[in-house]
Amino acid sequence: MKKKLIFGAAAGIVAIILLFCMPFSQIRLASGSLKYVPPLPEAAPDPVEPPVLVDGQYSLSLESSIGILTYYNQSDVRWADYLYGGQDPMKKYGCGPTALAMIVSSFTNQTLLPPDMADWAATNHYWAPRGGTAHNFIPECAAAFGFQATSFQNFTVEGVLDELRSGHILVALMGPGHFTGSGHFIIITDYWTGTQVRIADPANLENTQTPWEVQMLLDELSPFANSGGPVWSITPI
C-alpha cells in the first residue's frame, strides 16, 4: 500500500512538472485556448532623408501652390562669388535673380541657375550696382519667361491665403526685420496651416524651412517698392 502511495505521489509530481514544461501555447483552459502568436517583426526604420546642404551646395524641393519648387540659395558655393553685373557677388546682391531662377527652372522647360538669371538681369538693365536688382525685374522677367505677373494689393491675411489657394505664388520685397536690414526678395510659396504660409528665402535655408505668420510678413513688407510692388502674384499662363 505504501509503495502504491509513493508511486502515485511520484506520478503526480511528474505530471505537474510536465504540465509546467509544456509550451504555454499548448495549455487548453476551460475558457478557451491560448494560441501562439508569433512576435511582430521590428518596425522598419524611417527612411533617411538626404541632407539639404552638402559641401556648401543646396539640394531641396518645396511644395508650392503651383507645383514643386526647386530651391536655390544665393550663397551656394557654385555661384556665391559669381559677380552679378561683373561687380557684385551673388551671395550679397543676388536675391532677385535667385528667386526668379527658382520660378523659371521649376515651372518652365528651361533651367536657369542663379548666375544665368543674374546675367539675363544685367543684360536687360535690371542690375543696380551695389543695390541689387530693380523692382521692375520681378514682373517683367516673369512675363518674359511665360508667366502672368500682376501687382498684388490685398494686404490682408485672408487676401494672401486666398491668392495662394487660387493657384498663384507671390514674390514679396521685404523691408527691415526678420529677413533683411534693407531690402530682400522672397517667394511666398504655399499655404501651411491656420494663418501660416511657406516661403522660399534665397538667402536663408532656416527661414525656408520655417512656417511664417502672414501678418508678420505683411508688417515687414518694404515701404519703398515700386513697379507694382512690394508683392507680385505669379502664375504660369
Side-chain angles (χ1 to χ4, degrees), residues 7 9 18 21-23 26 54 85 98 102 128 135 170-171 190 202 218:
F7 179 79
L18 289 175
C21 290
M22 288 176 64
Q26 300 298 318
V54 178
T98 302
M102 291 190 228
H135 300 172
L170 300 169
V171 176
D190 200 5
L218 293 172

Side-chain angles (χ1 to χ4, degrees), residues 161-183:
L161 298 180
D162 283 346
E163 194 73 4
L164 295 171
R165 292 174 184 138
S166 298
H168 308 269
I169 57 175
L170 300 169
V171 176
L173 177 62
M174 308 306 296
H178 288 78
F179 302 96
T180 178
S182 53

Side-chain angles (χ1 to χ4, degrees), residues 42-98:
E42 292 185 9
D46 292 334
V48 177
E49 294 186 4
V52 173
L53 180 60
V54 178
D55 296 331
Q57 298 185 22
Y58 293 77
S59 178
L60 178 64
S61 295
L62 307 170
E63 292 183 12
S64 86
S65 56
I66 58 176
I68 299 300
L69 180 79
T70 298
Y71 175 73
Y72 295 143
N73 189 291
Q74 63 198 79
S75 294
D76 191 301
V77 294
R78 291 170 288 182
W79 48 72
D81 295 323
Y82 187 82
L83 296 180
Y84 183 14
Q87 178 178 316
D88 297 334
M90 286 291 293
K91 62 187 174 185
K92 184 173 182 180
Y93 295 97
C95 60
T98 302

Side-chain angles (χ1 to χ4, degrees), residues 6 27 36 53 73 103-104 120 130-131 140 153 201 220 225:
I6 293 172
I27 300 175
Y36 173 72
L53 180 60
N73 189 291
I103 293 172
V104 171
W120 188 94
R130 299 299 180 191
E140 293 175 14
Q153 296 294 326
D201 183 345
E220 294 188 7

Side-chain angles (χ1 to χ4, degrees), residues 57-225:
Q57 298 185 22
Y58 293 77
S59 178
L60 178 64
S61 295
L62 307 170
E63 292 183 12
S64 86
S65 56
I66 58 176
I68 299 300
L69 180 79
T70 298
Y71 175 73
Y72 295 143
N73 189 291
Q74 63 198 79
S75 294
D76 191 301
V77 294
R78 291 170 288 182
W79 48 72
D81 295 323
Y82 187 82
L83 296 180
Y84 183 14
Q87 178 178 316
D88 297 334
M90 286 291 293
K91 62 187 174 185
K92 184 173 182 180
Y93 295 97
C95 60
T98 302
L100 265 294
M102 291 190 228
I103 293 172
V104 171
S105 296
S106 300
F107 307 120
T108 75
N109 58 4
Q110 302 181 67
T111 298
L112 272 79
L113 297 177
D116 301 324
M117 188 60 81
D119 287 346
W120 188 94
T123 298
N124 289 279
H125 312 293
Y126 298 108
W127 166 59
R130 299 299 180 191
T133 306
H135 300 172
N136 60 333
F137 166 75
I138 300 300
E140 293 175 14
C141 176
F145 284 92
F147 295 88
Q148 180 179 345
T150 59
S151 174
F152 177 79
Q153 296 294 326
N154 190 352
F155 299 125
T156 65
V157 172
E158 198 57 38
V160 171
L161 298 180
D162 283 346
E163 194 73 4
L164 295 171
R165 292 174 184 138
S166 298
H168 308 269
I169 57 175
L170 300 169
V171 176
L173 177 62
M174 308 306 296
H178 288 78
F179 302 96
T180 178
S182 53
H184 181 58
F185 292 108
I186 66 170
I187 306 170
I188 303 175
T189 61
D190 200 5
Y191 171 71
W192 182 279
T193 185
T195 55
Q196 294 181 324
V197 291
R198 295 182 175 97
I199 72 165
D201 183 345
N204 192 297
L205 177 63
E206 183 179 354
N207 287 346
T208 299
Q209 296 177 312
T210 301
W212 292 89
E213 285 289 340
V214 173
Q215 189 59 56
M216 197 226 72
L217 298 178
L218 293 172
D219 291 343
E220 294 188 7
L221 291 173
S222 172
F224 304 112

